[in-house]
């Protein structure tokens, strides 16, 4: 015998901590009475896939996530009105119990000045349903609305993890409370509406601006866009934890046209085509792609002087907890977004946080916040200077080849504009000329006028040089030590070289200098 509570296929139930969806109601062969076939959200709660003793009564989406239970095992449901009354209405019995409890606390604390005051005022405010603005009945067994005409100021409603099971009920809720703008339906599984039902519900959701659908098993983007036709003026949508992996190209003329903020964190949207498809949402300003397994950011090619047509209004982007392999390349791609101002992203663990900041600020024009920290004009100038120096050698290697230079500017979009401000980096390029440790010297015998040229080490000491000169000029039997001097061409002076223990570089002797004796 089916109990007084209304049961039908698609209705959500909860037994203990386990949620499920009714897939079958009726008899089971070789048993007495009626049974309810349930597909459990947690497959571990199930025993089969809808087949009992070889007879299929229903088919679960996940293998072995179904079971049969007796109808009387299902707890009774509440209306939304009953759930709100249970949580927010303060009765005389409640006030009396609270007052007695407070007095007991007073005794235990020995606090003679600790008084119970204002309970009637608090109760009166909570009991006045017309004054309620924000209401939460999360985890209540709500599966219908009840009479909501008393709610005159309600703006935000949290019905997450309840037993709401179809969009007609949600539409009735919205229609009864025209002030309602924000709705949290997380952890609910709603039956897929028909196109006709969607068309009939559009006006009921006309005031909805913010919708949270976390963990609602909405893995199909095309189905989500179809549902979104019900919410014509929606501005803020959260789809966190829905196992979405593919975002398809969709026609947005009748859906998500006003969407400003989209939360897609903890899904699996990491393909280039899916990210490009998101870029065609016409009004999107804020996007969260945290924890989506993104390894690479890549937008369609465009000259470094232009921006991509994707994400034309996107100002805020969250990319935390993604295994992005090459952050410099990612920053270069993000520079293609015409309106990006705020980026949140994990720093590269292979470099210091300061270097990550320099890379992102130097690469993305117009960025105002990185990881919630403001970007000053000084930080931008310093970061661009760092990037100017970092890629100077690469620029020098390709500057004379038009094709290679074009490819360089494609990979480093910021470099031309940094060069416009700081000029050519030629002056900071390292001197790659080979430095020799040898000197070519002119040796002059002042007495005879005879000269010789000789290549000697820079660090040769004067005593060794003197011995070399005597061998070159045949003066090995000269009775007195030679008197050496350097003719300084720049200053036109004669510098005595009189410390025989010192080397030539001590006296700053240069290549092609003349030493007389």
């Amino acid at each position: 015998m089916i109990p007084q509570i209304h049961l039908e296929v698609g209705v959500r139930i909860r037994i203990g901590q386990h949620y499920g969806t009714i897939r079958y109601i009726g008899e089971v062969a070789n048993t007495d009475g009626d049974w309810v076939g349930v597909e459990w959200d947690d497959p571990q709660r199930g025993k089969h896939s809808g087949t009992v003793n070889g007879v299929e009564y229903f088919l679960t989406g996940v293998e072995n996530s179904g079971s049969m239970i007796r109808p009387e095992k299902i707890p009774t449901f509440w209306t939304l009105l009953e759930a709100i009354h249970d949580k927010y209405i303060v009765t005389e019995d409640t006030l009396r119990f609270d007052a007695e409890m407070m007095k007991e606390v007073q005794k235990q604390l020995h606090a003679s000045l600790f008084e119970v005051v204002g309970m009637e005022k608090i109760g009166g405010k909570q009991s006045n349903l017309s004054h309620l603005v924000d209401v939460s009945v999360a985890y209540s067994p709500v599966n219908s609305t009840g009479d909501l005409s008393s709610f005159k100021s309600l703006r935000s409603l949290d019905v997450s993890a309840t037993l709401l099971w179809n969009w007609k009920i949600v539409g009735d809720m919205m229609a009864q409370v025209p002030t309602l703008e924000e709705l949290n339906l997380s952890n609910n599984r709603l039956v897929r509406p028909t196109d006709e039902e969607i068309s009939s519900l559009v006006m009921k959701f006309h005031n909805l601006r913010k919708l949270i659908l976390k963990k609602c098993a909405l893995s199909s983007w095309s189905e989500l866009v179809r549902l979104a036709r019900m919410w014509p003026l929606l501005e803020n949508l959260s789809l966190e934890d829905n196992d979405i992996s593919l975002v398809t190209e969709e026609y947005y003329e009748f859906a998500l046209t006003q969407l400003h903020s989209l939360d897609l964190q903890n899904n699996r949207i990491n393909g280039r085509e899916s990210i490009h498809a998101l870029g065609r949402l016409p009004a999107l300003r804020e996007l969260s792609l945290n924890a989506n397994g993104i390894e690479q950011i890549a937008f369609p090619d465009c000259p470094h002087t232009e921006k991509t047509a994707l994400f034309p209004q996107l100002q805020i982007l969250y990319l935390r907890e993604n295994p992005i392999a090459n952050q410099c390349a990612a920053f270069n791609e993000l520079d293609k977004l015409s309106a990006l101002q705020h980026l949140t992203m994990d720093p590269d663990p292979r470099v210091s946080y300061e270097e990550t900041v320099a890379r992102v600020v130097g690469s993305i024009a117009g960025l105002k916040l990185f990881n919630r920290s403001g970007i000053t004009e000084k930080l931008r100038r310093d970061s661009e200077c760092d990037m100017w120096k970092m890629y100077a050698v690469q620029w020098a290697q390709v500057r004379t080849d038009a094709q290679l230079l074009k490819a360089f500017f494609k990979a480093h979009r910021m470099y031309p504009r940094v060069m416009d401000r700081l000029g050519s980096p030629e002056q900071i390029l390292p001197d790659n000329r080979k430095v020799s440790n040898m000197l070519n010297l002119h040796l002059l015998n002042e007495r005879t006028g005879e000269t010789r040229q000789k290549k000697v080490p820079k660090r040769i000491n004067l005593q060794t040089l003197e011995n070399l000169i005597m061998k070159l000029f045949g003066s090995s039997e000269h009775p007195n030590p030679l008197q050496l001097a350097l003719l300084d061409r720049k200053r036109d002076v004669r510098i005595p070289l009189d410390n025989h223990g010192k080397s030539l570089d001590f006296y700053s002797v240069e290549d092609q200098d003349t030493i007389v004796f």
Side-chain angles (χ1 to χ4, degrees):
M1 190 75 179
I2 300 294
Q4 294 302 310
I5 60 172
H6 176 68
L7 297 180
E8 62 179 288
V9 172
V11 166
R12 298 279 290 167
I13 65 170
R14 183 178 70 194
I15 296 180
Q17 299 301 313
H18 294 281
Y19 288 80
T21 302
I22 294 178
R23 299 299 186 200
Y24 171 78
I25 301 174
E27 296 180 349
V28 173
N30 301 318
T31 65
D32 296 327
D34 292 312
W35 291 85
V36 176
V38 181
E39 180 175 4
W40 300 100
D41 294 0
D42 180 4
Q44 299 299 320
R45 176 68 170 79
K47 297 179 179 179
H48 51 71
S49 300
T51 298
V52 180
N53 296 327
V55 180
E56 183 180 290
Y57 296 93
F58 60 98
L59 182 63
T60 60
V62 178
E63 188 176 3
N64 293 327
S65 61
S67 69
M68 293 288 188
I69 62 173
R70 290 293 188 180
E72 55 268 22
K73 295 289 186 180
I74 300 174
T76 56
F77 302 124
W78 288 2
T79 65
L80 175 59
L81 181 64
E82 289 171 334
I84 295 175
H85 270 260
D86 181 72
K87 182 171 182 178
Y88 291 90
I89 297 300
V90 182
T91 64
E92 291 184 8
D93 289 341
T94 305
L95 288 172
R96 190 180 305 111
F97 175 78
D98 287 345
E100 290 174 357
M101 182 177 67
M102 296 290 270
K103 288 178 181 178
E104 185 62 29
V105 171
Q106 180 186 38
K107 287 180 183 178
Q108 302 226 357
L109 295 177
H110 304 290
S112 58
L113 298 179
F114 187 65
E115 297 183 9
V116 180
V117 297
M119 294 301 293
E120 293 80 4
K121 291 183 180 180
I122 295 172
K125 185 174 181 181
Q126 286 185 307
S127 299
N128 194 338
L129 299 181
S130 64
H131 291 169
L132 287 174
V133 175
D134 300 302
V135 166
S136 173
V137 290
Y139 297 93
S140 299
V142 172
N143 87 330
S144 59
T145 58
D147 182 4
L148 305 178
S149 58
S150 300
F151 298 93
K152 306 297 184 182
S153 306
L154 188 59
R155 189 185 67 85
S156 175
L157 176 62
D158 182 354
V159 285
S160 58
T162 56
L163 301 178
L164 293 174
W165 64 282
N166 71 48
W167 287 101
K168 291 181 182 178
I169 299 170
V170 181
D172 181 39
M173 184 188 308
M174 295 294 302
Q176 288 197 59
V177 188
T179 57
L180 190 58
E181 295 182 349
E182 300 181 7
L183 185 61
N184 188 345
L185 285 171
S186 298
N187 291 283
N188 287 300
R189 306 285 177 90
L190 281 73
V191 173
R192 185 178 187 270
T194 65
D195 289 343
E196 292 74 18
E197 288 171 337
I198 288 176
S199 298
S200 68
L201 290 171
V202 171
M203 291 307 298
K204 294 187 177 183
F205 288 95
H206 202 70
N207 292 320
L208 185 63
R209 298 294 185 271
K210 180 177 181 179
L211 179 60
I212 303 174
L213 295 171
K214 179 180 179 180
K215 292 185 177 179
C216 288
L218 292 170
S219 59
S220 168
W221 181 258
S222 59
E223 174 63 12
L224 184 281
V225 174
R226 195 180 75 91
L227 293 175
R229 287 157 46 195
M230 288 188 291
W231 324 312
L233 299 180
L234 190 68
E235 296 177 355
N236 189 311
L237 176 62
S238 174
L239 295 170
E240 183 181 351
D241 266 321
N242 273 288
D243 201 32
I244 301 170
S245 60
L246 178 65
V247 179
T248 51
E249 294 283 352
E250 301 293 337
Y251 187 54
Y252 294 116
E253 184 176 1
F254 302 108
L256 305 178
T257 58
Q258 305 297 316
L259 190 67
H260 295 161
S261 178
L262 177 60
D263 185 352
L264 288 168
Q265 64 180 315
N266 290 314
N267 284 285
R268 294 185 293 119
I269 303 169
N270 48 50
R272 180 183 304 189
E273 292 77 11
S274 290
I275 295 175
H276 290 184
L278 289 173
R280 292 179 173 84
L281 287 165
L284 194 62
R285 298 177 188 169
E286 181 175 1
L287 174 63
S288 175
L289 288 173
N290 291 339
N292 268 271
I294 298 171
E295 296 181 356
Q296 181 185 36
I297 301 291
F299 297 117
D301 286 343
C302 62
H304 64 265
T305 55
E306 299 177 8
K307 301 289 186 178
T308 179
L310 299 176
F311 297 107
Q313 298 192 50
L314 188 67
Q315 298 178 6
I316 304 171
L317 179 60
Y318 301 95
L319 288 173
R320 282 195 179 278
E321 298 179 58
N322 284 298
I324 296 175
N326 187 335
Q327 284 199 345
C328 288
F331 297 152
N332 186 68
E333 291 296 310
L334 292 172
D335 182 59
K336 294 177 181 178
L337 301 181
S338 58
L340 186 62
Q341 297 182 8
H342 182 185
L343 176 65
T344 300
M345 189 172 177
D346 294 326
D348 188 339
R350 294 167 295 185
V351 299
S352 67
Y353 185 74
E354 290 73 18
E355 185 169 343
T356 297
V357 171
R359 289 176 177 181
V360 67
V361 175
S363 297
I364 304 177
L367 200 65
K368 296 181 179 179
L369 289 168
F370 179 62
N371 289 347
R372 305 186 186 279
S373 295
I375 296 172
T376 63
E377 195 55 40
K378 181 181 184 304
L379 176 58
R380 184 174 301 283
R381 288 196 305 268
D382 291 346
S383 299
E384 289 181 348
C385 185
D386 289 343
M387 303 295 282
W388 182 65
K389 294 176 182 177
M390 182 185 299
Y391 296 112
V393 173
Q394 291 184 37
W395 168 82
Q397 291 170 345
V398 302
R399 57 181 164 173
T400 58
D401 187 310
Q403 288 301 111
L404 292 177
L405 187 61
K406 182 180 179 181
F408 173 80
F409 287 153
K410 176 183 175 181
H412 308 288
R413 290 170 53 87
M414 52 77 205
Y415 216 73
R417 66 172 177 266
V418 173
M419 286 178 63
D420 287 343
R421 186 171 71 82
L422 298 175
S424 169
E426 286 182 281
Q427 68 240 28
I428 62 168
L429 291 173
D431 188 351
N432 293 323
R433 292 175 300 178
K434 187 175 181 180
V435 178
S436 174
N437 291 319
M438 304 297 287
L439 294 173
N440 288 295
L441 298 180
H442 299 278
L443 305 174
L444 171 61
N445 186 333
E446 285 190 306
R447 184 170 60 81
T448 65
E450 187 179 2
T451 63
R452 295 277 194 279
Q453 279 190 308
K454 186 63 179 177
K455 194 172 186 178
V456 299
K458 283 183 178 180
R459 300 189 64 80
I460 190 173
N461 62 40
L462 297 183
Q463 181 62 59
T464 303
L465 179 62
E466 183 177 319
N467 293 336
L468 177 62
I469 290 173
M470 288 191 291
K471 288 181 181 180
L472 286 174
F473 288 87
S475 305
S476 57
E477 297 180 359
H478 197 286
N480 298 317
L482 297 180
Q483 302 297 316
L484 304 180
L486 169 65
L487 297 182
D488 191 324
R489 293 169 294 174
K490 295 178 181 178
R491 293 178 293 174
D492 195 24
V493 295
R494 182 186 180 103
I495 301 173
L497 305 178
D498 49 13
N499 189 336
H500 286 195
K502 297 295 183 180
S503 61
L504 292 179
D505 59 354
F506 174 79
Y507 288 97
S508 301
V509 177
E510 298 179 358
D511 196 52
Q512 302 299 329
D513 273 350
T514 299
I515 292 179
V516 299
F517 64 92

